[in-house]
Amino acid sequence: MKFPFFLALALSVFFEDTVPYKPDAEFAIRLDMKFKVRPQSSSTTVNVSETMAEYKKRTSNDQLPFLTLFVTINEVKLGETRMRILRDGRIMMNNKKIELGKEFKLEVGFTDDAKDRVSGYEHIIYFVTSDKKDVNRIVISIDPNGDYFVNGQKRGRL
């Protein structure tokens, strides 16, 4: 009997969520908020589903809040050798060796985009063994209200 694709997908999602969170004492996250001008798009196409408010936000020359996260790994468990970083659940941003005590940067981007779930609203850092098995993870997310969460715990508001 053929194994249904949707069942396989559901099982993979279920098992992915069983990777435990990395304990808070083993890492630190620092937020850096700056104001930047959104780069102007060179596109001259018109999006008919775009509202006037969305158009003004996209074409504005105003300074907008831009968030960067700085993560420091203070401690690793036995076997953790590498980090695999996913952005928005689909884009692999990085796969690198763990360096204790060294700060690395994760760009969230413009906070309006993160709140609107356009980009930068979720970063997952998986801690992986040499045989590519996930051991721990850190989940950093921003909800539509601007609340900032680390491993499911609210840490503040943007």
Side-chain angles (χ1 to χ4, degrees), residues 107-127:
E107 280 197 358
V108 171
F110 292 101
T111 58
D112 283 347
D113 292 343
K115 290 183 214 176
D116 294 342
R117 302 190 67 78
V118 173
S119 66
Y121 56 87
E122 181 181 65
H123 288 79
I124 304 174
I125 305 167
Y126 287 100
F127 294 85

Side-chain angles (χ1 to χ4, degrees), residues 34 37 49 60 67-68 70 77 117 123 131-132 154:
K34 294 188 176 171
V37 175
S49 65
S60 171
L67 179 64
T68 304
F70 291 94
K77 297 286 185 203
R117 302 190 67 78
H123 288 79
D131 59 348
K132 298 182 180 168
K154 185 175 176 181

Side-chain angles (χ1 to χ4, degrees), residues 77-89:
K77 297 286 185 203
L78 185 63
E80 294 177 345
T81 58
R82 299 189 71 78
M83 293 184 296
R84 183 170 40 96
I85 303 170
L86 298 178
R87 179 181 166 135
D88 302 335

Side-chain angles (χ1 to χ4, degrees), residues 4-158:
F5 174 74
F6 68 89
L7 185 57
L9 182 64
L11 285 175
S12 70
V13 169
F14 172 76
F15 286 113
E16 182 179 342
D17 287 342
T18 61
V19 176
Y21 292 133
K22 189 157 191 68
D24 288 346
E26 296 181 7
F27 67 92
I29 299 175
R30 179 175 62 88
L31 280 68
D32 182 34
M33 185 83 72
K34 294 188 176 171
F35 289 90
K36 292 186 176 183
V37 175
R38 187 182 298 272
Q40 296 298 314
S41 70
S42 60
S43 174
T44 57
T45 60
V46 175
N47 183 352
V48 293
S49 65
E50 184 176 55
T51 66
M52 192 57 159
E54 291 169 333
Y55 173 78
K56 285 181 180 179
K57 183 168 72 169
R58 183 174 56 86
T59 59
S60 171
N61 287 330
D62 294 338
Q63 297 274 333
L64 301 171
F66 188 92
L67 179 64
T68 304
L69 304 173
F70 291 94
V71 181
T72 305
I73 306 304
N74 300 322
E75 187 180 325
V76 293
K77 297 286 185 203
L78 185 63
E80 294 177 345
T81 58
R82 299 189 71 78
M83 293 184 296
R84 183 170 40 96
I85 303 170
L86 298 178
R87 179 181 166 135
D88 302 335
R90 64 184 182 279
I91 302 169
M92 181 139 88
M93 293 190 52
N94 215 335
N95 184 355
K96 63 188 211 170
K97 189 173 183 174
I98 297 172
E99 296 181 56
L100 287 178
K102 186 175 179 187
E103 199 171 59
F104 65 93
K105 177 168 74 169
L106 296 174
E107 280 197 358
V108 171
F110 292 101
T111 58
D112 283 347
D113 292 343
K115 290 183 214 176
D116 294 342
R117 302 190 67 78
V118 173
S119 66
Y121 56 87
E122 181 181 65
H123 288 79
I124 304 174
I125 305 167
Y126 287 100
F127 294 85
V128 183
T129 62
S130 58
D131 59 348
K132 298 182 180 168
K133 183 177 179 182
D134 296 337
V135 178
N136 280 319
R137 66 186 170 144
I138 300 171
V139 179
I140 305 164
S141 60
I142 299 167
D143 74 4
N145 296 326
D147 293 329
Y148 163 71
F149 294 87
V150 175
N151 292 342
Q153 297 176 344
K154 185 175 176 181
R155 297 281 178 97
R157 179 169 273 188
L158 303 178

